[in-house]
Amino acid sequence: MAAGGEALFLAKRDGRETIVVASASGDVPLLATDEVPATNGGLIWFHGLNALSASALAIGLDIGYDAIRAGLRPYGKEYAGAKLRTVFAEGFPMQVLFDSSGKAPAYAAAVTVTDKITVPGRKICVITVPGNRPDWAFAESAEAVAGHFQRYICFERREYLRGRKPGEIVSRLADALMAAGDPREAVATTGDHKDAALLLAREAKDEDFIVVFGTESMATVDTYRRAFQETRERA
């Protein structure tokens, strides 16, 4: 900044977390992160960091502040506008959060969000790990989510077996969850995402909260919606 450069950071402005553009000539509040719909009113804090990064890139491309604000304000307003990463999907009888990630650091970040959500029912985690992860990744992933949910549904995507035998991923993940302290009765194993969706639809109640990890959510969210619809039509 002293040499004439700019810096972007998050800081409190009028009590709200705000993207600030700073230079030797002063600070410019760009946008409060809770104005970016993908943050869900600031709940999903790491989308605020994503907005910060996007702002920095845009400034580097000489895009004006007003244009940056106009681009960020609608982002995530609709599910299709913020695909894949940590977004609430519409069309379910309860809150359902989808996250395409299959990595332990992302799971650990996500539970800092889900821990803040209070529901009268259970918190349910649907989870997988891609097969080409090293063996220790199963324990690392389980440790990231263990103790944060009352029910776990482990599944595996056939296209992500990547050298693992069918059933190996769910077995390793279930064992890792129990080794991390979750009781056996809290952990279920199933097949692919369709099987996981059907099991979830049979078990989940309207007062529950659900997070689904490791799916290409733009492709699979309809599978979960159909599972709930078909299960409840048969009830």
Side-chain angles (χ1 to χ4, degrees):
M1 288 166 58
E6 291 178 310
L8 275 77
F9 54 86
L10 298 178
K12 288 288 186 180
R13 293 291 186 270
D14 298 324
R16 301 166 72 189
E17 182 183 74
T18 301
I19 300 169
V20 176
V21 185
S23 66
S25 60
D27 296 353
V28 177
L30 187 64
L31 190 72
T33 56
D34 61 16
E35 291 186 63
V36 182
T39 69
N40 202 261
L43 173 67
I44 307 176
W45 57 270
F46 42 82
H47 282 329
L49 295 177
N50 292 337
L52 171 71
S53 300
S55 300
L57 177 60
I59 288 171
L61 295 171
D62 292 325
I63 296 173
Y65 294 167
D66 287 342
I68 294 171
R69 294 183 183 106
L72 290 175
R73 282 193 174 113
Y75 183 70
K77 193 170 185 179
E78 296 179 356
Y79 179 81
K83 59 184 178 181
L84 302 182
R85 281 306 313 277
T86 325
V87 287
F88 287 93
E90 301 169 349
F92 292 91
M94 71 287 291
Q95 291 186 87
V96 183
L97 186 68
F98 281 85
D99 190 329
S100 65
S101 178
K103 300 178 181 179
Y107 296 157
V111 297
T112 66
V113 173
T114 61
D115 283 351
K116 295 177 182 177
I117 296 172
T118 302
V119 291
R122 298 183 300 172
K123 291 185 178 181
I124 302 173
C125 176
V126 183
I127 188 169
T128 190
V129 174
N132 60 341
R133 301 285 190 264
D135 288 347
W136 51 259
F138 292 91
E140 186 181 58
S141 297
E143 289 167 1
V145 299
H148 294 272
F149 300 89
Q150 288 75 54
R151 181 64 164 161
Y152 300 85
I153 298 175
C154 304
F155 74 102
E156 57 188 30
R157 297 170 58 182
R158 293 190 182 99
E159 69 273 26
Y160 279 8
L161 287 177
R162 295 175 177 173
R164 302 279 181 180
K165 297 177 181 178
E168 182 180 356
I169 290 174
V170 294
S171 177
R172 283 180 175 271
L173 190 51
D175 287 345
L177 283 166
M178 288 183 281
D182 284 303
R184 180 177 297 275
E185 60 271 18
V187 182
T189 60
T190 185
D192 64 10
H193 71 274
K194 295 180 181 178
D195 299 320
L198 288 170
L199 178 57
L200 178 67
R202 289 195 297 268
E203 288 195 3
K205 308 298 182 184
D206 290 1
E207 60 269 20
D208 294 338
F209 167 79
I210 298 162
V211 59
V212 181
F213 287 121
T215 68
E216 297 292 348
S217 49
M218 287 297 288
T220 62
V221 64
D222 284 340
T223 300
Y224 281 82
R225 287 196 188 106
R226 284 194 299 272
F228 273 91
Q229 182 179 357
E230 292 169 4
T231 299
R232 299 201 170 199
E233 284 176 351
R234 291 195 298 267

